[in-house]
Amino acid sequence: MKKKFDAKYWKGELLYGILFWAMVFLIYTGFNYFRGAAASRVRGSTAESLSQIVREQGWENASLSVKADGHYGSSAQTPDSPEPYIVILIDDFRSIDASIFWKVIGYSGKDKKSLSDVKTIVFCRYTEKTATYGRSPTANGGSTGTSEFVRISYVNARTKQCYKWEEIGKELPGQTSSVPHYKVSTNKLLSHIKKTIKGLGKE
């Protein structure tokens, strides 16, 4: 009877230990994720002030690289150090003065009132893919699934040339039991960019 009791006791303790450390791991991972995103995210008056500054930099030609579908100069020079970097979200290219649609969402520099130390300009632009579920795409009444994608262009602040281009997002499935709507949050985007920049710095 005692052996059965001991076995049951230790099984309970083992399960408790596993659950405890699993919770610690999840909290630690989540903390690092949000800390990583928060390290470069800017909001409010800081974002507005930085957005005004970047609109005066003459980066319009460099910003066009975010539309390049991965085609950029093979001779583009990667900065010796890709940090500090600034992240600019572009909402529209249709205006003559396209920079009015620029919004700074992230900046890793210490001085939030100056861009003198910027080594990499990161231009981002959201796009969307769709798919019809429930009926054939040519029939009416089908449900439309959506997925956000973000095109990202990494530009050398000194040469104004794009040295890396990528697109992130989740592809829509061919079939699904529920209509998907995938998003790329600002935190997720900034976390991805920070990880990429760190990797570039190790190359």
Side-chain angles (χ1 to χ4, degrees), residues 148-200:
E148 287 184 341
F149 281 77
V150 188
R151 293 177 176 180
I152 309 172
S153 171
Y154 300 81
V155 173
N156 185 320
R158 182 176 63 81
T159 66
K160 308 301 186 294
Q161 288 186 311
C162 172
Y163 64 86
K164 181 176 176 60
W165 189 100
E166 62 180 342
E167 183 178 60
I168 64 170
K170 186 175 181 179
E171 292 291 346
L172 289 162
Q175 294 181 337
T176 180
S177 57
S178 59
V179 180
H181 296 284
Y182 302 137
K183 301 287 186 180
V184 179
S185 68
T186 300
N187 273 358
K188 184 177 181 179
L189 174 60
L190 291 176
S191 181
H192 173 86
I193 290 171
K194 181 175 182 178
K195 184 178 179 180
T196 299
I197 290 286
K198 290 291 184 184
L200 291 170

Side-chain angles (χ1 to χ4, degrees), residues 19-138:
L19 291 174
F20 173 79
W21 287 110
M23 186 64 68
V24 169
F25 175 77
L26 288 173
I27 292 173
Y28 176 78
T29 302
F31 174 75
N32 279 341
Y33 173 81
F34 287 107
R35 183 181 64 178
S40 62
R41 185 168 185 176
V42 292
R43 298 182 175 89
S45 60
T46 300
E48 292 176 6
S49 176
L50 286 170
S51 296
Q52 183 59 44
I53 293 173
V54 301
R55 289 169 188 147
E56 301 168 356
Q57 300 304 308
W59 292 344
E60 283 81 4
N61 287 338
S63 72
L64 296 176
S65 60
V66 81
K67 300 196 298 181
D69 294 329
H71 300 291
Y72 53 90
S74 58
S75 60
Q77 181 181 356
T78 303
D80 294 334
S81 172
E83 298 185 73
Y85 61 91
I86 192 163
V87 184
I88 301 171
L89 179 65
I90 299 177
D91 289 335
D92 204 330
F93 276 108
R94 290 174 294 180
S95 170
I96 294 175
D97 183 10
S99 68
I100 65 174
F101 293 101
W102 291 4
K103 178 183 178 182
V104 175
I105 58 174
Y107 183 38
S108 67
K110 294 181 179 180
D111 185 356
K112 304 302 184 190
K113 297 181 180 180
S114 171
L115 303 180
S116 60
D117 294 332
V118 170
K119 300 294 178 62
T120 297
I121 311 160
V122 185
F123 292 104
C124 304
R125 191 184 186 204
Y126 275 79
T127 62
E128 186 180 75
K129 295 184 181 181
T130 62
T132 302
Y133 299 96
R135 294 189 182 182
S136 67
T138 57

